[in-house]
Amino acid sequence: MEAINRHAIKWIYEAGQVIREAMSQPLTIDTKSNRNDLVTSMDRNIEQFFAERIRATYSDHLIYGEEGYGDEVTSLQGIVWLIDPIDGTMNFVHQKQHFCISIGIYKDGIGEIGLIYDVVADILYKAMRGKGAYKNDKRLPNLTKEQALEDSLIGMNHHWLCDNRIADKAAMQQLVKTVRGTRTYGSAALEFAYVSEGILDGYMALGLSGWDVAAGMVLVSEVGGMTTDIDGSTVDLLSKNAILVCNSAVRTRLMEEFIKPGRKME
Ligand code: 2AM
Ligand code: CA
């Protein structure tokens, strides 16, 4: 895994450089599932950038990527790279900042490597299973075990409050009133990175795919945090999930008071 990690880090920095250099050029912007679901020529180019290098170097590895230049992945057997070439595409398009490249590398379903690169800030969050999590070269400490929900800052997407399919809107409103504050950054992977850094105490989001969360799950796990589906079950990286990631103290309160057990939402 060490050699794979070195390659992945080298390529992520190179891809970041490509993005920074191209940012002043015009972009081709298309929509996917709806008019707010954006994709740019850069998302596609960067996924191809990784796919070419991975295939040339590790022909037996599989690629599970957001933009479709990877493989038809139906199981996590073997070594699989879960890649989001630009997570936070709307931020990329509208703000030219607050987006990242997210790469999780899994072996037989176990998260081995997590890399989240904030391209404009030039900050790389990185983790290898059992070897700790780092923000650039600074080791991230374990998440606190003693934390009142009332003192917590929680990342969440406001769809929680507006989407009529979500049964417990009232519970979510109560949650917003209970916590110290909520934040929406617009990049699931960066929100995972912030949880691993301890600057967010939790993050809840709907409709996330494996490439959004795979890297972040490795990072958070290395600092003692946990990621599950909102109903407490294991995350299925090959389908869409409603995700809860946080430290254990906050998790207990969130699950018991605000999220009904057994609820399943996509
Ligand atoms: P993306 O930028 O790669 O599309 C925004 O709240 C976060 O949710 C981003 O990480 C975004 O990833 C992710 N997301 C997943 N599915 C989405 C969708 N259908 N529309 C918008 N954001 C989505
Ligand atoms: Ca994404």
Side-chain angles (χ1 to χ4, degrees):
M1 280 295 154
E2 297 283 349
I4 298 171
N5 190 46
R6 275 197 302 278
H7 274 127
I9 289 175
K10 177 171 178 282
W11 295 334
I12 217 168
Y13 277 128
E14 287 172 3
Q17 184 64 21
V18 170
I19 297 172
R20 283 189 299 266
E21 281 171 9
M23 266 171 63
S24 54
Q25 315 285 319
L27 283 170
T28 309
I29 303 166
D30 296 318
T31 56
K32 294 196 279 188
S33 60
N34 62 66
R35 73 182 300 275
N36 298 326
D37 188 3
L38 306 179
V39 61
T40 72
S41 42
M42 188 63 71
D43 297 61
R44 298 192 178 106
N45 292 348
I46 295 298
E47 187 167 304
Q48 278 176 310
F49 173 100
F50 284 107
E52 281 165 15
R53 282 156 183 77
I54 295 163
R55 288 188 174 124
T57 315
Y58 301 109
S59 57
D60 56 331
H61 291 190
L62 290 175
I63 302 162
Y64 186 61
E66 175 157 25
E67 310 307 338
Y69 297 101
D71 301 294
E72 281 292 323
V73 176
T74 52
S75 106
L76 290 178
Q77 286 309 300
I79 297 185
V80 183
W81 295 56
L82 297 99
I83 300 181
D84 196 337
I86 296 188
D87 184 56
T89 302
M90 199 180 291
N91 291 349
F92 174 64
V93 169
H94 285 260
Q95 305 184 326
K96 303 273 190 258
Q97 60 181 342
H98 302 143
F99 61 89
C100 64
I101 302 170
S102 176
I103 299 183
I105 304 176
Y106 281 57
K107 185 177 180 198
D108 297 333
I110 311 271
E112 297 286 349
I113 292 168
L115 299 170
I116 295 176
Y117 184 43
D118 181 331
V119 171
V120 172
D122 188 26
I123 295 171
L124 179 63
Y125 293 89
K126 56 187 175 186
M128 289 185 79
R129 184 169 63 87
K131 296 190 174 157
Y134 292 80
K135 177 186 183 184
N136 288 332
D137 292 323
K138 188 176 127 249
R139 174 110 186 214
L140 296 174
N142 264 10
L143 300 179
T144 174
K145 301 238 180 303
E146 313 284 329
Q147 169 114 35
L149 189 60
E150 288 75 7
D151 299 332
S152 297
L153 197 52
I154 303 292
M156 60 192 293
N157 189 306
H158 296 109
H159 283 297
W160 283 104
L161 299 173
C162 320
D163 191 326
N164 286 327
R165 293 169 308 166
I166 300 167
D168 277 29
K169 217 192 282 186
M172 286 300 132
Q173 288 175 353
Q174 188 56 39
L175 171 62
V176 170
K177 287 190 213 156
T178 301
V179 298
R180 176 161 288 161
T182 56
R183 294 291 182 271
T184 299
Y185 293 98
S187 159
L190 280 180
E191 295 181 86
F192 267 78
Y194 299 158
V195 172
S196 74
E197 192 181 349
I199 62 172
L200 265 188
D201 301 299
Y203 172 58
M204 310 161 69
L206 298 171
L208 295 186
S209 301
W211 46 75
D212 296 313
V213 301
M217 284 172 64
V218 179
L219 271 162
V220 164
S221 142
E222 283 302 310
V223 290
M226 195 177 168
T227 311
T228 62
D229 194 284
I230 209 78
D231 66 1
S233 64
T234 308
V235 174
D236 176 1
L237 288 169
L238 299 181
S239 67
K240 290 205 168 198
N241 297 270
I243 293 277
L244 173 63
V245 53
C246 51
N247 66 44
S248 53
V250 166
R251 167 171 294 272
T252 307
R253 289 276 314 274
L254 284 176
M255 293 295 286
E256 286 177 2
E257 292 176 40
F258 298 97
I259 301 167
K260 293 212 179 98
R263 172 130 40 94
K264 182 85 184 165
M265 290 178 290
E266 293 188 342

